[in-house]
Amino acid sequence: MRDQARDGALRLLAAVEDGATLDEAAPLTEGLSPADRARARRLAREVLRRIDRADALLTPFLARRPRPQIMRILRLATVEMLALDEAPHGAVNAAVTLTRALGGKGQAASGMVNAVLRKVAASDQVWAALPPQRLPDWLRKPVSAAWGEAVTRAIEAAHEAGAPLDLTPRGETPGEALPTGSHRLPAGTQVSALPGYAAGDWWVQDAAAAMAVRLLDPKPGERIADLCAAPGGKTLQLAAAGAEVTALDISPSRLGRVAENLARCGLAAELVAGDALDWRPPQPMDAVLLDAPCSATGTIRRHPELPLIRDGAGLAELTELQAHMIDHALSILKPGGRMVYATCSLLPAEGEDQLTAALARHPGLTVLPPQAAGIGPDWTTAQGALRLRPDMWPERGGMDGFFIVCLRKSAEQT
C-alpha cells in the first residue's frame, strides 16, 4: 500500500526542483485525501526549510551522490527523524518502501538507503549542532549589510522555525491576543474548524501584514483605494473600519477570493479587476493603500521554496514598477490625503530606498510616524517607517518581513 502523504511530498519537492512554487505544484496532490494532501505539503515545507542541513548530515554517509529521486527520499526521512520526531523505524521503513517502488534501480538502492538512514537516526547530536539553512547570497548580502550578521542568522533561524497561524479579529476570535491586535494559534491549526469561521468573526492574516491598515488608521466613511488587494485581508480590515473601499487587483480569479472573504464576513467593497496603474477614481481618494508587488522575501518562513527557485533576477524591474505605483497612488490621492506603501520584502531596495526616492521626487510629501498599538521599540526606522523582520517577536513565533510607511500628501499638492 502506497504511503500517499510521503509520496505526495516527494512529488512536491520534485516540482520545486523544477522551479515551481508549492502553490503551483498543488495540483500534483489533488488526488489525495484532504488529510494526506495537508500532510504532504507540511512534509515538503519542512524539508525545504532544511535541505542544506540534511545534505550536510547525509554527505559523509554517501559514497557518491545518488539520483535525485533517492536524494529526496533520504532528505525526507532525515528531516522526519531529526526535526519532526518521527520514530526512526517508521521513517526508515517508509523510505525503503518508497525507494523500492521506483523500480529496478530503486530496488538496487534500497539497501544503501536503509544503511544510510540507520546512521542518520543515530546522528541527532550532529544534527543539533548544524546551523539553520543560509539565505542565498543574492538575498543574504543586502540583509547582512542592512542589519548585520547576528540579525541575519536570527532571520535564518526564524525561517527554519516556520510560521504560526495569525488571525485578524472582527468578533469573538480564538488564539493568543498579540500586542498589535492580531490573534495567534499554533502552526497547522485547521482554519475551517475554528469557532467563528463561518460567522466571519475573523480572517487569516499575518500579524505583520495587518499593520499596514493599522498605520493607515481608516475612518468610517473615508473613500479608500486598496491597490493590489488580493487575497483581501487588508480590504476586509478597511471595510470592517467602515471605509468605502475600492479594491483593485489585476487577477480576476484572485479577486474572486476577495469576494468570497467579504461575503463570509458580511462586509462590502467595490471590486475592480484591472491594472492599478490604469485605474483612476471619479474623484481623488481620501486614502490609498499600496501593498506593492515585490520579491516576497519577507514570507520565506511561509514559503520556504522561494530562496531555492529565485535568484534575484528581475529586482530592478520590480523596484521600477514600485516607484511608478507610488507615483500613481499619489496622483489619485486628494491633497492632504494619506497613503500607505507596503512590501512583504526583506530588501531595503524595496523599502527604505523606495521611501528615500519618493520623498525626493515629491516635495511636500511627509512621513506620518507610526501610532498603532503594540509597536516594538526597535520596529521604527530613522525615517519613521516600520521595518518588520522574521526575527522580531522570537518568544512569540516571529512575524513576516515587511516594510510599511504612512505618507501624507501636501495640502497644496494637486
Side-chain angles (χ1 to χ4, degrees):
M1 187 172 179
R2 294 183 69 85
D3 187 324
Q4 300 291 344
R6 288 185 172 102
D7 192 59
L10 293 172
R11 276 180 270 158
L12 293 174
L13 291 170
V16 170
E17 287 182 19
D18 288 336
T21 66
L22 285 176
D23 286 342
E24 292 166 346
L28 296 173
T29 61
E30 280 182 355
L32 305 184
S33 70
D36 281 342
R37 190 163 61 244
R39 184 167 175 246
R41 190 175 177 108
R42 181 178 72 90
L43 288 173
R45 278 200 306 260
E46 297 300 340
V47 172
L48 291 168
R49 290 183 176 119
R50 300 169 176 87
I51 280 183
D52 291 349
R53 197 170 175 182
D55 286 3
L57 185 70
L58 285 163
T59 298
F61 300 139
L62 297 169
R64 62 181 181 276
R65 190 175 183 86
R67 296 162 59 217
Q69 299 98 315
I70 304 297
M71 196 67 193
R72 287 192 287 270
I73 291 171
L74 290 170
R75 287 167 173 163
L76 174 58
T78 297
V79 170
E80 283 192 276
M81 289 188 291
L82 299 181
L84 304 180
D85 296 323
E86 182 71 32
H89 69 274
V92 174
N93 289 342
V96 171
T97 300
L98 288 164
T99 304
R100 287 175 176 159
L102 296 175
K105 291 184 177 180
Q107 293 279 355
S110 62
M112 178 274 290
V113 167
N114 181 66
V116 167
L117 290 178
R118 289 183 182 279
K119 293 176 184 176
V120 167
S123 303
D124 51 323
Q125 292 185 351
V126 176
W127 174 265
L130 291 170
Q133 190 151 296
R134 284 172 62 93
L135 293 169
D137 283 348
W138 67 266
L139 178 55
R140 199 177 202 279
K141 287 179 179 177
V143 168
S144 182
W147 301 296
E149 181 64 19
V151 167
T152 304
R153 288 196 300 268
I155 289 173
E156 290 165 343
H159 287 166
E160 181 177 289
L165 175 70
D166 289 347
L167 309 177
T168 295
R170 184 172 178 233
E172 192 70 25
T173 304
E176 173 200 359
L178 299 174
T180 56
S182 297
H183 284 225
R184 177 159 288 184
L185 290 148
T189 302
Q190 186 179 346
V191 172
S192 59
L194 291 172
Y197 174 79
D201 287 340
W202 47 262
W203 52 89
V204 175
Q205 186 179 28
D206 185 79
M211 292 302 294
V213 170
R214 295 195 173 113
L215 258 64
L216 188 63
D217 192 22
K219 301 294 191 296
E222 283 191 315
R223 292 171 298 103
I224 301 180
D226 182 8
L227 308 182
C228 313
K234 299 176 183 69
T235 297
L236 293 170
Q237 285 179 282
L238 294 168
E244 297 178 12
V245 187
T246 302
L248 291 94
D249 201 88
I250 200 166
S251 167
S253 62
R254 282 168 56 82
L255 208 58
R257 290 178 59 195
V258 181
E260 291 170 5
N261 285 322
L262 284 165
R264 178 174 65 84
C265 296
L267 296 168
E270 179 188 3
L271 305 183
V272 178
D275 190 332
L277 288 173
D278 296 330
W279 178 78
R280 286 199 168 273
Q283 54 184 318
M285 306 301 287
D286 296 314
V288 175
L289 175 63
L290 172 59
D291 187 356
C294 70
S295 64
T297 47
T299 67
I300 289 171
R301 57 192 203 126
R302 299 179 186 280
H303 303 287
E305 72 274 20
L306 294 183
L308 304 173
I309 65 175
R310 295 184 181 168
D311 59 5
L315 183 61
E317 291 81 359
L318 258 182
T319 55
E320 183 178 1
L321 173 62
Q322 290 159 4
H324 286 316
M325 295 192 80
I326 290 171
D327 294 346
H328 180 70
L330 289 170
S331 77
I332 63 173
L333 186 64
K334 74 177 187 181
R338 310 181 314 286
M339 183 190 87
V340 159
Y341 169 75
T343 54
C344 54
S345 171
L346 294 176
L347 295 167
E350 298 182 278
E352 290 86 348
D353 297 350
Q354 284 287 14
L355 174 56
T356 298
L359 292 172
R361 288 197 307 275
H362 299 278
L365 190 66
T366 56
V367 176
L368 297 178
Q371 300 295 328
I375 292 175
D378 56 342
W379 297 7
T380 305
T381 72
Q383 295 170 301
L386 280 190
R387 166 49 76 182
L388 308 178
R389 304 190 311 257
D391 62 301
M392 293 172 169
W393 272 354
E395 73 286 358
R396 292 188 170 96
M399 65 178 76
D400 283 352
F402 259 89
F403 178 87
I404 308 170
V405 63
C406 188
L407 300 163
R408 185 181 296 282
K409 185 175 180 178
S410 167
E412 286 74 40
Q413 285 181 296
T414 58

